Amino acid sequence: MNRISRFFARPVALAAVGLSLLLGVSSCASSHVGVSSDFDHSVNFRAYKTWAWYPQQMTDTEGGPAKGYESFFDKRMRTAVEAEMGRKGLTQVDKNPDIFVAYSAKVEDKQRVNYPYSPYGFGYGYYGYGRGMNSVSEYKEGTVIIDIVDAKRKELAWRGMGEAQIENRTISEPEVFRIVGSVLGTYPPTDGRNSQATR
């Protein structure tokens, strides 16, 4: 029996490997952004070349625009969106844009049930004991919605939403860039007439 076989033959070694895999999954989960989007299928997104911020931007999570000044969060959002739109070849203009861009964001308290871990792939409750050992952990979830509005028709053309676990009551700069990048990564949509837009 070689060294590797002897190592995995030990229960402690199996538990250690399983724990490291579990921790790896947990760390990946904390950086994951859940993204969804929807759009008007009649729109030719390749025709959009210029954009501007929607004039009546809603109040952000820190109330910045409503108070007459930009909050830190608003600055982060605008910087991240402007960078992503530029990468997509869209030009920001002051007048007569093809599309308007608006965003909304919120932070909510969430709960997650943590099931007991067993190196053999099932919880202790499998054998009928250890019931009630499931724990509940609380975390914060940041949700960002980005809307793209056809400026001439004044109608919503595309909406993307991203959700991610965050650290604090406000979404930090790295978290903003991570979420915005993931959401706008799905723009423009790629069905039929719009499929060439991302090539």
Side-chain angles (χ1 to χ4, degrees):
M1 184 180 290
N2 60 33
R3 290 183 180 179
I4 296 175
S5 299
R6 286 199 303 271
F7 175 78
F8 283 106
R10 300 173 186 172
V12 175
L14 282 173
V17 171
L19 182 59
S20 65
L21 289 173
L22 180 68
L23 293 174
V25 170
S26 299
S27 62
C28 291
S30 64
S31 63
H32 173 72
V33 179
V35 176
S36 61
S37 63
D38 198 1
F39 62 98
D40 184 340
H41 290 258
S42 67
V43 171
N44 180 7
F45 289 90
R46 288 179 293 165
Y48 295 149
K49 305 297 181 184
T50 60
W51 73 281
W53 286 105
Y54 193 72
Q56 291 84 36
Q57 170 64 49
M58 295 177 60
T59 304
D60 68 25
T61 54
E62 296 174 6
K67 296 178 180 177
Y69 57 83
E70 288 185 331
S71 66
F72 291 125
F73 178 76
D74 187 59
K75 289 181 179 179
R76 293 166 186 162
M77 279 296 302
R78 289 175 180 269
T79 300
V81 169
E82 288 166 7
E84 288 297 324
M85 296 297 278
R87 288 190 189 98
K88 295 182 179 297
L90 292 162
T91 303
Q92 186 175 5
V93 296
D94 295 325
K95 296 180 180 179
N96 302 317
D98 296 328
I99 54 174
F100 288 116
V101 177
Y103 78 84
S104 60
K106 62 181 178 180
V107 175
E108 295 179 298
D109 292 320
K110 297 282 187 175
Q111 290 185 335
R112 178 189 297 111
V113 177
N114 303 307
Y115 297 98
Y117 170 73
S118 165
Y120 302 104
F122 44 79
Y124 297 113
Y126 182 87
Y127 284 113
Y129 60 91
R131 293 172 186 264
M133 293 181 65
N134 297 346
S135 63
V136 176
S137 60
E138 296 184 350
Y139 67 98
K140 293 175 176 60
E141 181 179 82
T143 301
V144 171
I145 296 175
I146 299 176
D147 285 341
I148 290 181
V149 180
D150 187 292
K152 293 181 176 63
R153 296 186 300 131
K154 301 294 190 295
E155 292 181 1
L156 183 65
W158 181 90
R159 167 170 285 181
M161 181 175 71
E163 297 175 316
Q165 181 177 333
I166 61 173
E167 298 297 324
N168 301 299
R169 289 302 310 174
T170 186
I171 307 176
S172 69
E173 186 171 13
E175 290 166 340
V176 166
F177 275 84
R178 177 165 58 93
I179 298 173
V180 169
S182 297
V183 173
L184 288 178
T186 65
Y187 180 87
T190 56
D191 78 323
R193 65 190 299 182
N194 299 300
S195 61
Q196 295 180 8
T198 56
R199 291 179 184 173

